[in-house]
Each structure stands twice: as structure tokens, then as C-alpha cells.
Amino acid sequence: MAANLSASYILTSDIDVTEECYKWAPIGSDASPFTGKLYGNSKSILGLGINVAANGLGLFGEIEAGLVQNLNLSMRIHLFDAHRTATSVTEIGVLAGKISSGSTISNVTVAGNIFKHNGLEVGGIAGEVNSSTLQNSIVSYVNILSEENRNGSIAGFLSGSTLDEGSVYASYVQGDYGTGGAVGTASNTSTISNSNSRSAAISNHSSRSQIGGLSGSISWSSVSNSYATGNAGMGNQKIGALVGESVRGTITNSYATGNAYADPRGINRRYISALVGSMADSSVVTDCYSSGNVLNGADSISGIAGMTDTTATITRAYAAGSLDGGATNANPIIGSDSTADATVNDSFALDPSCNAGAGGGCALTNGGIGLIDSEMKDQNEFTNFDFINDWQMPAGGDFLYPILK
């Protein structure tokens, strides 16, 4: 493929290069990207290894206006001690360092480990995805250990791109600012839809922020019909079990069941939530819920939004977890409303201390209604929730509060 970067290729059998041990040279680069097509034919490329200090690392260095589909891939990218002091190492992924200019990646499954120091944008599929589409991307047993920003099990950075039907299993991502279970940072009208992460997202430093179970941050972007079940934490600010920070973002029909927690050694441990750590600049949450707990927060913690700023709106949401009892501004729906202009509509939270009786509920600080356990199990308490199209009551099991369809 390196000899003709614009041609079309099809795999006819599995390829195993394990014995080549860290000798892979990425196909294409920023200067000469791969612009062709690779049809994986449901075959596998196994055992790829890279140990260099350079930008654009993966099976491909960069894919531009290209196509990759129906491929299984495993790779190890490890910057050994000799390379750990290298600067400006960026765009690292198992499939590609960077995907750009209308490329389409579909039905690609990756596994592997990425150990990296210094640099930006690390992802299981790609470090950076710009103006492109990832469809049905599955990441499993991918472990990312990074000391810099924008790290996600699927993509480190989405810009003007779409992630649809992305799934993360049995993986782990650790990084700096903008670290997420699936996507590190999504910006510039990116969309994350029908996607999930069942893995942990962890900060590598007690003074870092934008850590999320699904995405570390979203800016002018959206999340819909998605969920996260892993824990998010070990930073100090803007930590959410679903999204760490939303800036003019829209989150709909989504939920989180993991815990959000700060590093107890950190200072200014604030804006931590079982759903979204921080909502700013007219961000919106609609038809969402959280069931995890918030731990080690010192200020502005909640079940839905740790902090809201500049006309945030929360509609038809609920929180069912517990909040660290030692925090200031520990409120079930909004921890602190910094500009005092957030709007909360038809939203609820489990509040065992509420004793207003069936059908009464208790008004919560910064908006919403508190319900006791028996009321949370009663569909009639959830005013204006659409139980025909969006919500349903569980038929049985341990969790008996409303769930999304």
C-alpha cells in the first residue's frame, strides 16, 4: 500500500506480523497521506508494533478522503525510554494517527496498547478525526497511558466529525486534559451518537480537568442515544461520569451508571457530577439520567451538572446516586449555578430525606424535585416524561427507576 497511496486494496487472508516486533512503518503521512481504499473483508492484521518518536503513528500515518471498512486490527505502540523525552509527538492511533477530509471508517475493530509520553491526541481508532465519519467502531482491550491532552479509547480528538455506533469494552484510558472513555475532546459540531463506553477514564494528575466516562469534553457538539458505565476521575475539576465539560453542547437520550470522583490529594476539587461535570454557554441536557455516585468532591457536585454557567437548560432528567456529604454546594440536579440563570424543567432526584409524602416531592436547591425511593419507582411521578417514545419502567431486576428505550 505504501507504494501506491491512492489505490484500492482488499485483504484475502489474515496477516500476522508479530515476529517483526516493533518494526512497523506507518502507511502515509501528513505530507503524503493514504487516499485510497482498504476493504478488510472481515480479515485481521495482527501483531503490529511501533517504537518511534514521530507524529502520525498507526497502521496508517494519515488517511485523507479515504475508506477503510470491515477490518480487525491489533497493534502495540510503545515509546520506550529512549523516546520518552521527545517533544511534539502527536496523532497516535491503532488504525491511524489522523483521519481527515471526508474519510469514512466503518466496521473496524481494534485492540492493542499505546504507551506514550509527551504529545497530543491518542485514540484506539485514531488520534485525530477531522471532517470524517467513524461508523460501527469497536474497541476492546485497548489500554492507553498518556501524559498529555486529548485521549480517548476510540478517538483522541473529533473535529467536525461523526462517531456513530462506537463501542468500548474492557479498556482503560489515562491522560491529561480532555480524557474520555470513548472520545477525548469533541468540537466544531461533532456528533457522538448511539455509542457507549464500558471502561474507565482516569486523569494522570490530581490538578487536571475535563475527564468523562464517554467524552472528556464537548464543544459546540452533541451526544445522543449514548451511555457510559465506567468510572471517571482522579482529576480535580470538570469530571463527569458521562461528559466532563460541555460548552454549548447538547446531550440527549443518554445516561451514565459509573461513579465520578476527584483525586483526594487535589486542591479545588469541584464541578464533579454523575452525568456532566460542567455545563457552559447555553449547554442543554434533555431526557438523561445518572445512577452513579460522586466522591471526593469539595465544592459544586451533583447528579446531573456540577456547575452551570450562562443559561444552561436541563429538561426531563433525573439522578439516583449519592453525593459526598462533605462537599459545599452538593445539590442533586445542579451543584452551583454560577450565573443564576439555569433552567430546570421536569427533573428529579432520589432524596431519601424527603418526607413530603407520595405525589408531593421536595423542592431542591437550584431546581428539580426530590423523591423518595418508592416515588422514584412510580411512573406517574415523572411529569412530562414520554413513556411511549423515550422512557420505560423496568420489568424487573435491581434497578427499578425509569430507563431510556
Side-chain angles (χ1 to χ4, degrees), residues 242-260:
L242 187 72
V243 173
E245 179 182 39
S246 173
V247 178
R248 196 154 296 201
T250 299
I251 303 172
T252 58
N253 294 85
S254 299
Y255 68 92
T257 63
N259 298 327

Side-chain angles (χ1 to χ4, degrees), residues 297-380:
D299 184 15
S300 302
I301 68 174
S302 80
I304 300 299
M307 184 271 286
T308 56
D309 181 17
T310 315
T311 63
T313 301
I314 298 170
T315 303
R316 294 186 302 277
Y318 80 82
S322 63
L323 305 178
D324 191 325
T328 303
N329 295 315
N331 300 306
I333 303 298
I334 297 175
S336 61
D337 181 10
S338 65
T339 48
D341 57 6
T343 299
V344 177
N345 302 309
D346 304 321
S347 295
F348 306 88
L350 176 64
D351 183 0
S353 66
C354 180
N355 59 6
C362 300
L364 301 172
T365 301
N366 292 334
I369 300 296
L371 302 174
I372 60 175
D373 178 69
S374 60
E375 293 170 328
M376 292 284 289
K377 297 173 182 176
D378 183 356
Q379 173 178 322
N380 295 321

Side-chain angles (χ1 to χ4, degrees), residues 5-6 27-36 61-65 98 100:
L5 297 172
S6 62
I27 300 167
S29 65
D30 179 64
S32 300
F34 178 77
T35 59
E62 180 171 347
I63 301 171
E64 181 180 284
K98 183 177 181 179
S100 65

Side-chain angles (χ1 to χ4, degrees), residues 187-276:
S187 70
N188 191 24
T189 67
S190 290
T191 62
I192 301 172
S193 59
N194 306 305
S195 296
N196 65 80
S197 174
R198 306 181 188 188
S199 300
I202 305 298
S203 170
N204 59 23
H205 198 286
S206 62
S207 64
R208 298 301 186 254
S209 65
Q210 300 172 347
I211 313 298
L214 184 74
S215 181
S217 68
I218 62 171
S219 177
W220 295 75
S221 297
S222 65
V223 172
S224 63
N225 303 309
S226 298
Y227 66 88
T229 63
N231 296 332
M234 290 305 287
N236 73 325
Q237 296 186 39
K238 299 178 181 179
I239 301 169
L242 187 72
V243 173
E245 179 182 39
S246 173
V247 178
R248 196 154 296 201
T250 299
I251 303 172
T252 58
N253 294 85
S254 299
Y255 68 92
T257 63
N259 298 327
Y261 60 98
D263 187 331
R265 301 167 298 175
I267 60 174
N268 295 325
R269 304 189 310 275
R270 58 187 179 180
Y271 313 151
I272 305 167
S273 171
L275 195 73
V276 185

Side-chain angles (χ1 to χ4, degrees), residues 94-179:
V94 176
L95 176 66
K98 183 177 181 179
I99 297 169
S100 65
S101 303
S103 294
T104 298
I105 311 300
S106 63
N107 301 313
V108 171
T109 299
V110 303
N113 295 311
I114 302 175
F115 300 98
K116 180 187 79 73
H117 290 240
N118 297 330
L120 299 169
E121 299 171 2
V122 182
I125 297 291
E128 179 179 330
V129 183
N130 196 319
S131 302
S132 296
T133 298
L134 305 182
Q135 174 72 39
N136 194 25
S137 301
I138 300 175
V139 170
S140 61
Y141 302 100
V142 167
N143 297 301
I144 296 174
L145 302 179
S146 172
E147 291 189 354
E148 289 295 339
N149 306 343
R150 298 176 178 172
N151 304 281
S153 294
I154 293 177
F157 180 41
L158 288 182
S159 178
S161 295
T162 296
L163 169 63
D164 186 43
E165 297 186 88
S167 296
V168 179
Y169 303 91
S171 298
Y172 176 89
V173 57
Q174 177 179 307
D176 215 315
Y177 295 98
T179 294

Side-chain angles (χ1 to χ4, degrees), residues 53 80-89 117-118:
F80 289 117
D81 291 340
H83 300 307
R84 287 183 175 178
T85 58
T87 59
S88 300
V89 178
H117 290 240
N118 297 330

